[in-house]
Amino acid sequence: MASSAHPRVYLHDQPTARPLAHVTSSSFDSLSTSSDRETSSRIAETDPPRIFEPEYYERMRRLESESWWNAGMRDVAGLLLAPVTLPANGVLLDAGCGSGQTMRWALRRLGAGWRAVGLDVSMDGVAAARGSGLDVMHASALNIPLPTASVDLIITLDVLQHLPLGGGDVTALAEMHRVLKPGGTLFVRTNAQSYPPTRDDHKFDFHKYQPEELRAKLVTAGFSVKRLSRINALLGLAEIPRELRANREQHSDGYHGILAPPSSDHPLSRMMKRGWLLLEGRAVAAGVPLPIGRTIVALCERQADIPHS
């Protein structure tokens, strides 16, 4: 994706990468564009969705550290990113970083020449990430406080579906395109519309995507889509009875929160489930889109800007 003149960097274990200096108003001035943005409008845009309460982040931290699904999805991300030619020295942005576990995973693999910064709309997530030494901004993907063409790789996981309905995702993708360098890489994971269907939830700003809808929005934003597919096809079927039950109990076919219970599987069971996700990921990485699945992953390249004549 990036120029082949760069050394090839794979997402396998590397020495711990060098993070950015701790994000403060003084040390982050070189990457901040606050001078040309209205501070008041940025603060308004960083109000977290109503679902993002402290309990939500605590639940997410447990799932990210313990569940086979999160481990398997990191495996899938690594598979899709492995063939990408990345610079030996680069900047990673985790847009919607939560407590920062994805940042730590990526930094272990990208190499010592890489720096990383995250952003999140919730101070609960920001505080947790900063508490583990990561450099995280309290900011929104709708208005990323980074300079144009300053980032080599963006990872955004389960963010697009929570942005304001009626164009929030389009705005965020345009911002990601702006801050990525030409030839830079975007990795997206989001929810897929499946059975039972989930309506747009205006109370919680929640939307599930059809694959072609997401593809169209990525292309319109200026990205070349290298891989895009549903995933979590077989094991995701376990969500159907949970969602049907939630529909009945909550008298709603909208957003129900995190339905997966804390992991209590035997280690062998977790290993087998993670292995199955890896098999699905290998198919997607080989260019075989899956026809069913409750999640969508996409690997994209930022196209170069076409100069106006």
Side-chain angles (χ1 to χ4, degrees), residues 4 15 28 33 39 63 84 88 95-96 110 158 183 188 222 231 256 263 269:
S4 59
F28 206 62
T33 56
T39 303
L63 288 172
V84 177
L110 285 167
D158 301 316
V188 176
I231 198 165
H256 298 307
S263 178
S269 174

Side-chain angles (χ1 to χ4, degrees), residues 49-51 161-162 201-206 255:
R50 296 176 61 179
I51 61 169
Q161 69 260 29
H162 293 296
D201 194 320
H202 292 269
K203 179 180 179 182
F204 294 109
D205 275 330
F206 184 74
Y255 180 71

Side-chain angles (χ1 to χ4, degrees), residues 219-261:
V219 170
T220 299
F223 291 101
S224 173
V225 179
K226 303 302 182 183
R227 293 285 186 270
L228 188 149
S229 175
R230 292 177 179 267
I231 198 165
N232 194 24
L234 179 64
L235 298 172
L237 297 175
E239 286 295 301
I240 293 176
R242 294 180 190 138
E243 292 197 14
L244 290 172
R245 183 167 58 250
N247 284 352
R248 291 194 304 270
E249 293 175 353
Q250 300 179 27
H251 306 288
S252 168
D253 57 355
Y255 180 71
H256 298 307
I258 302 171
L259 298 178

Side-chain angles (χ1 to χ4, degrees), residues 16-52:
T16 301
R18 174 171 55 93
L20 294 168
H22 186 70
V23 178
T24 65
S25 58
S26 58
S27 65
F28 206 62
D29 282 346
S30 61
L31 288 180
S32 174
T33 56
S34 59
S35 60
D36 61 356
R37 296 174 186 264
E38 290 296 327
T39 303
S40 60
S41 65
R42 183 159 68 245
I43 291 173
E45 290 174 349
T46 59
D47 290 340
R50 296 176 61 179
I51 61 169
F52 291 173

Side-chain angles (χ1 to χ4, degrees), residues 250-303:
Q250 300 179 27
H251 306 288
S252 168
D253 57 355
Y255 180 71
H256 298 307
I258 302 171
L259 298 178
S263 178
S264 59
D265 290 348
H266 188 277
L268 179 60
S269 174
R270 291 199 297 270
M271 182 180 70
M272 293 176 65
K273 290 176 180 179
R274 180 177 177 179
W276 182 264
L277 268 185
L278 186 62
L279 286 176
E280 292 187 4
R282 292 189 187 282
V284 174
V288 181
L290 304 183
I292 61 172
R294 309 184 79 79
T295 301
I296 299 175
V297 290
L299 179 70
C300 310
E301 179 181 344
R302 183 204 189 279
Q303 296 180 315

